[in-house]
Amino acid sequence: MLWGALILLCAGVLMAGGTGWWAVEHYTGKVNRVPHAFPTDVPADQRPGPNKGGQNFLLVGVDSRSELPTTGTNAKAAPWKPGAQRSDTMMLVHLPSKGSRAYVVSLPRDTWVTVPGRGKAKLNAAFSWGGPPLLIDSVQRLTRVRVDHLAVIDWSGFRKLTDAVGGVDLSVGGAPARHMNGEQALSYVRERHDLPRGDLDRTHRQQNYLRDVLAKVLSGDNASHPVRTKRLLDRLTESVSVDDRLSDDGLRDLLWDARSLRASRMTFMNAPVARTDMIQGQSVVLLDGRKASALWKALREGTMEDYVTEHTVDRLRPVVQ
């Protein structure tokens, strides 16, 4: 429920090839920014160093109780109020320097972590308590991976993006794929109680949705249809917010570097999980510390291609043709 940054990135690719680079300049200037998104009071020994060989984005889908949009240029309410929203979906996205591939790592919302200043809690509580800065701080302390940039989308934006690409085609329980509109897709990605692996199957649903949307964004129909492209990009900028450190020039550079990225070159996976448990009356996910350390190191050092080759990962299965 948060995929706006990646979709925008890929939409920039098709703009450059179809409607011209002037359109990239126009739309990057329209993207809404989240002010003061990064933590500022983190002790020096808890700040991760710069990443090597690429950038890492934190993509966040907001479980907002607001009846008004909270993200994008159409936002009518604050992106965060204490206790009003939780981060329903969180993904670390590694974009290598060459830009031809991407690696998406889902962090289950029920991951049991230390939230700075709050103690042990589920990861999604960090956003509720302290908004983007506390969530970024919690993720960075958990992984020792520096978050270079943030992208956020709420339920309203999710529905808009889904409908903007004409809906998605997703399989449920191994059955043939069925077409879903924004409201149906939202129910699909939020379901977890009736899934065999609960939160872990839920994250794969979210990844499956993202993969299908990206494939549609980059389809020949969109790339060769300027009017359809403009309509899609209007919905994107209306729905998605990014951090205020990501300048227009920085976003344009990102789009150019990733111009050869395609959905088929993206690897989707879950962070390594040891088990689920009940703690303080809550169902939680406990990560596998040893296996996760290898993943965090690969994200920091830009060696994700080697990591997925050398390790068994809980990855999203390829689409069956």
Side-chain angles (χ1 to χ4, degrees):
M1 300 161 61
L2 43 80
W3 351 96
L6 279 180
I7 300 171
L8 179 62
L9 183 149
C10 292
V13 177
L14 64 91
M15 278 193 299
T19 63
W21 193 245
W22 67 268
V24 177
E25 294 186 351
H26 172 72
Y27 280 100
T28 52
K30 291 179 63 176
V31 177
N32 187 50
R33 262 60 176 194
V34 178
H36 314 299
F38 287 85
T40 58
D41 57 351
V42 181
D45 62 347
Q46 295 296 326
R47 299 175 201 159
N51 298 306
K52 303 175 183 177
Q55 297 188 73
N56 291 312
F57 274 72
L58 179 60
L59 306 188
V60 180
V62 178
D63 177 358
S64 174
R65 297 301 192 268
S66 172
E67 294 182 359
L68 299 172
T70 62
T71 60
T73 56
N74 268 6
K76 301 296 190 298
W80 169 76
K81 289 183 179 179
Q85 302 109 333
R86 290 197 174 204
S87 46
D88 200 51
T89 308
M90 291 155 287
M91 296 179 180
L92 279 172
V93 179
H94 178 72
L95 301 176
S97 299
K98 295 181 180 179
S100 61
R101 302 195 65 87
Y103 301 88
V104 181
V105 180
S106 288
L107 303 172
R109 52 169 282 170
D110 291 343
T111 302
W112 194 244
V113 301
T114 298
V115 178
R118 295 282 187 159
K120 289 288 188 178
K122 293 182 181 182
L123 181 58
N124 72 333
F127 192 94
S128 178
W129 287 332
L134 189 58
L135 177 60
I136 290 175
D137 193 10
S138 300
V139 169
Q140 290 187 152
R141 296 196 198 211
L142 170 68
T143 64
R144 304 300 297 174
V145 172
R146 177 177 174 176
V147 173
D148 295 300
H149 293 294
L150 171 80
V152 187
I153 189 170
D154 64 8
W155 289 353
S156 173
F158 175 90
R159 289 189 289 263
K160 286 180 182 178
L161 290 180
T162 306
D163 292 336
V165 298
V168 289
D169 300 291
L170 302 171
S171 175
V172 180
R178 66 185 182 90
H179 193 71
M180 300 183 189
N181 61 23
E183 194 65 42
Q184 294 165 331
L186 182 60
S187 297
Y188 170 85
V189 299
R190 296 193 67 233
E191 176 61 50
R192 62 174 174 156
H193 294 298
D194 293 330
L195 302 178
R197 299 194 307 156
D199 212 20
L200 302 182
D201 284 342
R202 185 185 197 225
T203 53
H204 276 326
R205 281 192 171 205
Q206 295 162 354
Q207 295 166 0
N208 191 32
Y209 165 86
L210 175 55
R211 181 171 61 189
D212 192 72
V213 169
L214 289 171
K216 284 181 165 57
V217 168
L218 295 170
S219 71
D221 288 343
N222 280 313
S224 60
H225 200 299
V227 174
R228 190 175 301 160
T229 297
K230 181 181 183 303
R231 187 181 303 119
L232 171 61
L233 292 168
D234 284 339
R235 297 293 85 76
L236 286 166
T237 52
E238 288 173 3
S239 306
V240 181
S241 297
V242 300
D243 66 273
D244 57 0
R245 291 185 183 178
L246 185 53
S247 67
D248 290 351
D249 286 343
L251 186 52
R252 286 192 284 268
D253 289 344
L254 192 63
L255 297 176
W256 179 254
D257 290 343
R259 61 192 179 278
S260 61
L261 180 63
R262 297 294 180 268
S264 60
R265 297 174 184 169
M266 299 181 69
T267 301
F268 298 85
M269 70 188 79
N270 285 329
V273 170
R275 66 184 190 280
T276 58
D277 204 346
M278 291 295 296
I279 299 178
Q280 300 175 10
Q282 305 175 76
S283 176
V284 304
V285 172
L286 301 177
L287 298 186
D288 186 313
R290 181 180 60 82
K291 292 180 180 179
S293 291
L295 173 57
W296 309 147
K297 181 179 179 182
L299 287 170
R300 287 193 300 269
E301 299 185 355
T303 56
M304 285 298 294
E305 184 173 2
D306 293 337
Y307 174 84
V308 297
T309 300
E310 298 168 2
H311 294 79
T312 300
V313 298
D314 180 13
R315 64 192 297 174
L316 182 66
R317 295 178 180 176
V319 176
V320 178
Q321 301 296 334

